[in-house]
Amino acid sequence: MGILSSLGSIFQSRRKAVNILVLGLDNSGKTTIINKMKPTDAQVTQIVPTVGYSVDRFSAGNMLFSSFDMSGQSKYRSLWENYYAACEGIVFVVDSNDRLRMAVARDELWMVLDHKDIVSNKVPIIVLANKMDEKGAMTPTEVTKELGLDSIRDQNWTIVATCALTGEGLQHGMEWLASNIRVHMDKRQNK
């Protein structure tokens, strides 16, 4: 087992390490998603709401993510912008079953997209339409319309249906993000 751990460390050190922001309203499932992306032995069984922010690491798509899980409570959302300049990607999590606050989620997402650091850097953005397992959840197409995602220009984005509890859609979404971060970083280096 020691040899395998050593080999794993060698290969992990060759992975590209990037910073991503995990944003969204409170109770959208951000912390549960990050927990599900970690190796099984590093996952916790009880999730508590994030106050301020927390940093976790996980890998996907041959990339090592340092994820900044930002609290989604309204009194903490103003802190998000302090981390925009240093991020290589954004994960915006939406509770697909929370129709009442979809307009608030849209407003918060567009404040992120319109921020000068995001406009100038144009990092890839993935919207995770979470809680798809719940009855009455909006489809990704409905979430796209409600958030106005089709209006995003000059920035690479996608939306993926997910269930943080089962992990459905998460690996696919993070692999998309890893691939698009690589493309984005290559473009920046070639300028």
Side-chain angles (χ1 to χ4, degrees):
M1 189 81 96
I3 293 172
L4 292 177
S5 295
S6 297
L7 287 174
S9 297
I10 289 169
F11 289 116
Q12 190 167 8
S13 66
R14 291 186 181 161
R15 290 181 178 164
K16 179 70 179 161
V18 296
N19 295 326
I20 60 170
L21 295 180
V22 182
L23 309 174
L25 302 185
D26 54 308
N27 201 35
S28 60
K30 299 179 299 295
T31 306
T32 305
I33 287 170
I34 292 169
N35 187 57
K36 196 67 169 178
M37 291 303 301
K38 294 191 284 188
T40 306
D41 61 340
Q43 293 178 8
V44 297
T45 56
Q46 186 172 0
I47 305 293
V48 295
T50 303
V51 176
Y53 74 95
S54 66
V55 181
D56 280 299
R57 295 175 77 119
F58 63 87
S59 59
N62 202 26
M63 189 168 281
L64 183 61
F65 291 104
S66 290
S67 62
F68 290 76
D69 177 6
M70 308 300 291
S71 177
Q73 297 173 1
S74 59
K75 64 183 174 182
Y76 295 113
R77 290 183 209 142
S78 63
L79 299 175
W80 295 357
E81 68 183 71
N82 296 321
Y83 299 88
Y84 295 162
C87 78
E88 281 92 18
I90 294 176
V91 177
F92 195 86
V93 182
V94 178
D95 178 345
S96 300
N97 205 32
D98 190 354
R99 295 173 186 269
L100 292 176
R101 295 196 310 159
M102 197 58 69
V104 177
R106 180 189 61 236
D107 292 346
E108 293 297 333
L109 174 61
W110 280 94
M111 279 198 276
V112 172
L113 293 170
D114 289 338
H115 191 277
K116 63 182 173 61
D117 291 334
I118 301 301
V119 169
S120 65
N121 195 6
K122 298 191 185 323
V123 297
I125 297 174
I126 185 166
V127 175
L128 298 182
N130 196 30
K131 303 186 183 181
M132 282 294 176
D133 58 316
E134 294 184 7
K135 186 178 180 178
M138 298 171 72
T139 66
T141 303
E142 290 172 310
V143 173
T144 296
K145 183 179 178 186
E146 289 295 318
L147 295 179
L149 297 177
D150 288 332
S151 299
I152 297 175
R153 304 287 182 246
D154 302 326
Q155 198 150 6
N156 203 0
W157 68 272
T158 194
I159 185 169
V160 175
T162 63
C163 174
L165 296 177
T166 64
E168 185 179 343
L170 296 181
Q171 191 66 36
H172 168 72
M174 291 305 159
E175 287 173 2
W176 179 92
L177 186 60
S179 173
N180 284 275
I181 287 174
R182 272 191 214 88
V183 169
H184 176 70
M185 293 174 87
D186 287 346
K187 284 180 184 177
R188 275 198 329 212
Q189 286 179 343
N190 293 332
K191 282 187 177 182

